[in-house]
Amino acid sequence: MKSKTVIVIGAGIGGIVAATHLAQHGIKVTVIEKNSRAGGRCDRISREGHHFDTGPTLLVMPLLYEAEFQAMGSSMRERLDLKRVDPTYHLVFDDNSQLALTSDMKSMQEQLEAFESGSFQGLLRYMNEGHRHYHVGIERLVNRDFRKASEFFTFKNLPLLYQLKPFANHYRNMSAYFDDPRLKAAFTFQDVYMGLSPFEAPATFSMMPYTELAHGVWYPRGGMYSVVEALMELARAAGVEFIFNSPVERIDANKTHARGVVLSNGQTLEADAVLANADLPYVYNDLLPDENLAKTLKSKRFSCSVISFFWGLDKTYETLGPHTLFLAHDYRENFERIIRDLNLPANPSLYVHAPARLDPAMSPPGQDTLIAIVPVGHMSENGGQAQQSCGQDWKQIRDDARQHVLRRLASLGIHDLESHIKFETSFTPLSWQKRYNLMKGSTHGLCHNLTQLGYFRPHNRHPRYHNLYFTGASTHPGTGMPTAMVSGRLSAQRIMDDLQVQL
């Protein structure tokens, strides 16, 4: 019998994983990618011996990675050379106080008690809540594919209303554990991973600081792009075909089914099913003909964006740890400027990553590689590639963000960094949109507020074209490398179920 065929649009994490599962079950899979290499926004820049991850810079939720590698018949530990990062972050506050987040509970006790008496007991109670949120959330929400409303709205799921605190505000919930605003910030900033403000995120996301401290933060040799390379090895071993430098112009569909894709060079490729791993709002807006569905998706809440700086330095700054996070005292105003005003805060919180502290091969000997990430609002409109968009002057915003990074580093005694920059590459929301087709330059896709989680998040199959499927950050279960792997597996399972492929 002739093998079933599937075309995957986009070689992001979800697309690679889905393609691997499908190919391992005898389906002929072709992945079409617009760029010259795989990974999507989890990309790599290499220049003059300096190597930069453009996406995630650390591996969190290792248990989820392990489970997803195992589901593909492999082992994460055998595929990746992992190093535990501890302390995970070096937090620097505006009053010059500092906190090193570590799994060493004795060190945490000494540090926290210096901030606030009794706060270590607060951390233990918070970790207990995070443990529940993590394990219940992964089992009952993340790993589930809610194909019908009846699979989500069940009596069995009613306890989730109090088990996961979905209606409790994350930052407000911190008052049960800490009084000091610095500590509240220290254990809620991870909400930015979801493109969310902790002032609107559900308390469910206490699972993130929990997993970082309980399961560890890790760094693979070669950087996070080595995860992409490991997944590509599995995909190619399964027989997946990749075609790079080939943008998809549109999805070819009739009234009920997708027939294949049309490439930008006019070539048409046919398949039994199409799986879109491109940014979901972009797929609806640019690759499909239904304007009403595109408008509905475009009207949803989008995550924030970031301005990223990639610096090759001719000098090493050994005093700078691998992960340094500067948290502003006007924490709430930071998020209001980003989420409400779609702008750069006056005193932004920001993150600096020095990968050579963890893997010396990430920079030439005697030199350094730095990545600075400054959260900003997404584009206020999705039009054009101009530097200015609806009052957002991205060149000026980028220049302001750079000065904030240099100012923050100067507070740690690093005053000469600018004079040692050999080269700079920077990404603004315009860059994220152009390079990776991320609508509005939103680096995390659709945001993860309560009405866009679980069953309420866009599903992985088109409502009308029943052989058109989706995977990636804007579909269930959401953004992040490990959840993208879950998304890929869930989408592949649904395709196989619909194609009636025997497992």
Side-chain angles (χ1 to χ4, degrees), residues 211-481:
T211 185
E212 289 180 348
L213 292 177
H215 307 144
V217 168
W218 302 79
Y219 188 80
R221 182 184 296 275
M224 288 298 290
Y225 195 76
S226 63
V227 178
V228 177
E229 293 173 327
L231 294 176
M232 286 294 288
E233 289 175 2
L234 289 173
R236 288 193 163 116
V240 177
E241 178 189 5
F242 289 87
I243 302 175
F244 293 101
N245 299 305
S246 299
V248 170
E249 186 71 27
R250 62 183 173 87
I251 295 171
D252 183 27
N254 58 26
K255 291 185 178 181
T256 58
H257 284 80
R259 293 177 294 213
V261 299
V262 178
L263 305 185
S264 60
N265 64 6
Q267 183 182 3
T268 298
L269 301 176
E270 296 182 348
D272 294 306
V274 175
L275 172 63
N277 182 215
D279 185 44
L280 188 66
Y282 167 80
V283 173
Y284 273 90
N285 194 70
D286 289 67
L287 303 185
L288 287 170
D290 194 323
E291 293 184 5
N292 290 329
L293 283 174
K295 287 179 181 177
T296 298
L297 208 58
K298 200 172 180 179
S299 67
K300 290 183 177 292
R301 288 280 308 280
F302 284 74
S303 68
C304 65
S305 188
V306 298
I307 292 177
S308 296
F309 298 98
F310 307 98
W311 288 328
L313 307 174
D314 63 12
K315 175 183 176 180
T316 301
Y317 292 88
E318 290 290 347
T319 58
L320 193 62
H323 302 292
T324 305
L325 191 68
F326 297 88
L327 292 175
H329 73 276
D330 43 359
Y331 194 56
R332 182 187 295 272
E333 190 271 343
N334 253 254
F335 286 101
E336 286 179 350
R337 289 281 288 169
I338 293 168
I339 305 298
R340 183 193 64 196
D341 302 336
L342 303 180
N343 212 322
L344 176 71
N347 176 36
S349 298
L350 55 90
Y351 162 73
V352 177
H353 174 45
R357 297 302 90 77
L358 303 170
D359 182 356
M362 300 302 280
S363 67
Q367 301 186 32
D368 221 342
T369 297
L370 286 191
I371 301 170
I373 300 176
V374 185
V376 294
H378 61 65
M379 294 166 61
S380 55
E381 64 174 21
N382 200 43
Q385 303 300 328
Q387 284 292 331
Q388 192 158 339
S389 172
C390 259
Q392 295 170 307
D393 185 340
W394 291 111
K395 184 178 184 300
Q396 184 62 53
I397 293 172
R398 181 200 63 197
D399 292 346
D400 291 344
R402 182 191 298 107
Q403 291 307 309
H404 284 299
V405 176
L406 296 173
R407 172 178 61 84
R408 291 290 198 176
L409 290 173
S411 72
L412 296 181
I414 300 174
H415 299 280
D416 63 345
L417 187 136
E418 191 169 16
S419 63
H420 290 282
I421 297 176
K422 296 194 302 178
F423 64 84
E424 172 186 291
T425 298
S426 62
F427 284 7
T428 70
L430 291 169
S431 314
W432 299 111
Q433 181 195 45
K434 182 178 180 180
R435 285 173 176 261
Y436 309 111
N437 289 334
L438 302 181
M439 185 172 282
K440 301 186 180 183
S442 295
T443 46
H444 303 80
L446 297 178
C447 83
H448 296 69
N449 57 320
L450 190 58
T451 58
Q452 293 180 179
L453 284 175
Y455 179 75
F456 303 108
R457 199 162 185 80
H459 298 189
N460 57 18
R461 191 177 74 174
H462 194 279
R464 185 165 82 245
Y465 309 127
H466 285 178
N467 67 334
L468 173 58
Y469 304 85
F470 309 107
T471 185
S474 291
T475 60
H476 175 74
T479 194
M481 288 183 79

Side-chain angles (χ1 to χ4, degrees), residues 166-201:
F167 297 113
N169 174 279
H170 194 188
Y171 190 85
R172 194 177 304 122
N173 186 58
M174 298 304 294
S175 297
Y177 306 103
F178 308 110
D179 291 326
D180 193 306
R182 293 170 298 178
L183 297 184
K184 292 179 182 180
F187 296 103
T188 58
F189 73 83
Q190 296 87 347
D191 293 347
V192 175
Y193 297 165
M194 313 293 164
L196 264 184
S197 160
F199 297 95
E200 62 176 347

